[in-house]
Amino acid sequence: MIKISAHEQKHDEGYKSLLSKKENFLHFLKKYIAVPWTADISIDDIEKIDKSFITREYRKTDSDLIYKLNMNGSDVYLYVLLEMQSTVDFTMPFRLLRYMVELLTDIFKNTDKNIRERKSFKLPAIVPIVMYNGTDNWTAVRNYREYTHSYEIFGDNIVDFRYLLFDLNRADDETIASTRKLLDAVFSLDKVNSDVDDYIFQALNQLSKWKHSLGDDEINELSGWLVYIYFKGEPPQDLEDFIKQIFKKDEVSGMTHSLERWRDKQTNIGIQIGMERGRQEGRQEGIQEGIQRILEKLGKGVLSDEEIKELMK
């Protein structure tokens, strides 16, 4: 089970799309998880499963991915959980337990009764992994038993597991840049502080370091990621195409200058739209006030704003 904690639901959807491609997911396992059992996995060993086990209270903030891994003839399930969250989730051990039990229950129920009642039958392993990109250090307990009161008393007699943790913002920049894959570029971009005013320029400067290492399709996907995250999934209509065009420039200064001109244009358009809306609202309010004054002179009393708006239709 892999859990991804991200600071935007759009962010989560971006990661879900990225990690739904087996080559990206395998790269993540081998490079960023890098425990011994990942070394010999090939792309033919992993299979994406089209199921979800998100519980009702988290459906608005979470989405998930499930992969099945074949190891030595046995199945191992990797549950990828993506959620909208920038802070540490201290309930993580219990949430992971719930999803793991839901997955195991589904596997058990869908196994032939004659098979699951055999002495030799065993449930598949589920490996919990948390991938976190929040700004705070991850301080939630890693072992499930530590989420249990007085666990020290009971030793091995209580439920326990330990999840692996990948903390993106604590990952070394040189390590990320040591390979030049699309996922590495996304991680590098994701480490840029999106709260600063010049984020878009910092992000473009960061992306410029990757443009010669990636193919055209990957550049397009990376440009889409930038648009999706920076503009919360709702970019101005022409921005995505614009960014793809400026990636064709060889110098960062040229890219930045082009973007500055584009942003100034959008700002001017926004000001003009705002002024026009203000004039429209001013005219509307003036008409309403005029109607109210006429009614008062006629001795008709005062009408509510809703009644006046009805008269103006």
Side-chain angles (χ1 to χ4, degrees):
M1 174 182 286
I2 297 179
K3 179 177 191 312
I4 297 177
S5 180
H7 59 268
E8 292 282 351
Q9 189 171 13
K10 295 296 182 184
H11 220 125
D12 305 340
E13 292 169 359
Y15 269 120
K16 180 171 183 176
S17 176
L18 190 69
L19 293 173
S20 289
K21 297 181 178 179
K22 294 203 298 183
E23 59 270 25
N24 294 332
F25 184 73
L26 184 61
H27 181 66
F28 172 73
L29 285 180
K30 285 179 170 289
K31 178 176 178 178
Y32 294 102
I33 301 305
V35 290
W37 55 264
T38 65
D40 297 325
I41 300 172
S42 72
I43 200 165
D44 295 329
D45 295 326
I46 59 176
E47 174 188 357
K48 185 174 175 293
I49 305 298
D50 292 325
K51 285 190 176 182
S52 173
F53 294 93
I54 299 298
T55 50
R56 181 174 299 176
E57 68 266 37
Y58 291 107
R59 282 177 187 164
K60 290 185 178 180
T61 58
D62 291 357
S63 56
D64 58 1
L65 282 168
I66 301 172
Y67 275 92
K68 183 168 68 173
L69 169 65
N70 182 277
M71 292 190 66
N72 301 320
S74 299
D75 292 336
V76 178
Y77 282 83
L78 306 174
Y79 190 108
V80 186
L81 178 63
L82 305 96
E83 71 170 20
M84 183 181 72
Q85 186 167 310
S86 60
T87 56
V88 177
D89 182 358
F90 297 107
T91 70
M92 185 59 62
F94 182 64
R95 290 181 61 191
L96 289 172
L97 177 67
R98 292 180 66 186
Y99 293 131
M100 292 165 73
V101 170
E102 288 285 339
L103 176 54
L104 289 172
T105 300
D106 182 76
I107 294 169
F108 185 83
K109 288 170 62 177
N110 287 286
T111 301
D112 184 274
K113 187 173 182 294
N114 293 324
I115 295 176
R116 71 189 187 203
E117 290 184 351
R118 293 175 184 169
K119 183 179 179 180
S120 59
F121 174 74
K122 293 182 180 181
L123 285 166
I126 300 178
V127 180
I129 306 170
V130 173
M131 176 183 162
Y132 172 66
N133 69 345
T135 54
D136 296 333
N137 288 326
W138 186 266
T139 52
V141 296
R142 298 276 299 278
N143 287 81
Y144 177 79
R145 66 177 183 172
E146 294 178 34
Y147 198 67
T148 305
H149 184 64
S150 301
Y151 71 89
E152 302 93 339
I153 299 172
F154 306 107
D156 295 334
N157 299 122
I158 59 173
V159 173
D160 191 27
F161 62 84
R162 179 177 176 84
Y163 58 86
L164 296 165
L165 175 69
F166 172 66
D167 187 343
L168 175 59
N169 282 307
R170 260 54 64 181
D172 182 70
D173 291 336
E174 291 184 4
T175 299
I176 293 175
S178 64
T179 52
R180 313 296 285 181
K181 301 289 186 180
L182 175 62
L183 187 64
D184 304 317
V186 168
F187 283 166
S188 180
L189 175 60
D190 204 12
K191 291 189 70 176
V192 177
N193 185 359
S194 61
D195 294 328
V196 297
D197 292 336
D198 63 343
Y199 164 77
I200 190 72
F201 302 107
Q202 289 191 32
L204 283 171
N205 182 61
Q206 191 70 11
L207 291 179
S208 69
K209 301 174 183 178
W210 298 85
K211 59 179 290 187
H212 297 301
S213 303
L214 304 175
D216 290 340
D217 289 342
E218 291 174 314
I219 287 295
N220 288 341
E221 195 166 349
L222 200 53
S223 302
W225 173 272
L226 173 62
V227 169
Y228 202 61
I229 301 307
Y230 182 65
F231 288 95
K232 309 299 186 278
E234 297 178 355
Q237 187 173 2
D238 60 339
L239 179 60
E240 188 165 5
D241 290 338
F242 177 80
I243 289 179
K244 290 176 183 178
Q245 288 298 316
I246 64 174
F247 265 95
K248 295 179 180 179
K249 296 182 178 295
D250 289 331
E251 297 181 1
V252 176
S253 59
M255 296 165 60
T256 303
H257 179 66
S258 296
L259 186 63
E260 285 174 341
R261 287 191 291 113
W262 180 87
R263 189 169 66 175
D264 289 343
K265 174 185 173 183
Q266 298 303 311
T267 301
N268 291 333
I269 291 173
I271 291 171
Q272 292 172 14
I273 292 173
M275 291 175 64
E276 180 59 29
R277 285 178 178 169
R279 285 193 291 269
Q280 292 287 348
E281 291 172 0
R283 282 197 291 270
Q284 196 87 339
E285 289 174 2
I287 293 170
Q288 290 181 29
E289 290 173 2
I291 292 174
Q292 191 70 68
R293 285 196 297 271
I294 291 170
L295 290 170
E296 288 172 357
K297 288 181 179 180
L298 293 173
K300 299 294 184 183
V302 178
L303 297 182
S304 67
D305 290 343
E306 289 72 19
E307 290 172 319
I308 292 174
K309 289 177 181 178
E310 189 66 27
L311 286 171
M312 293 170 63
K313 288 182 179 178

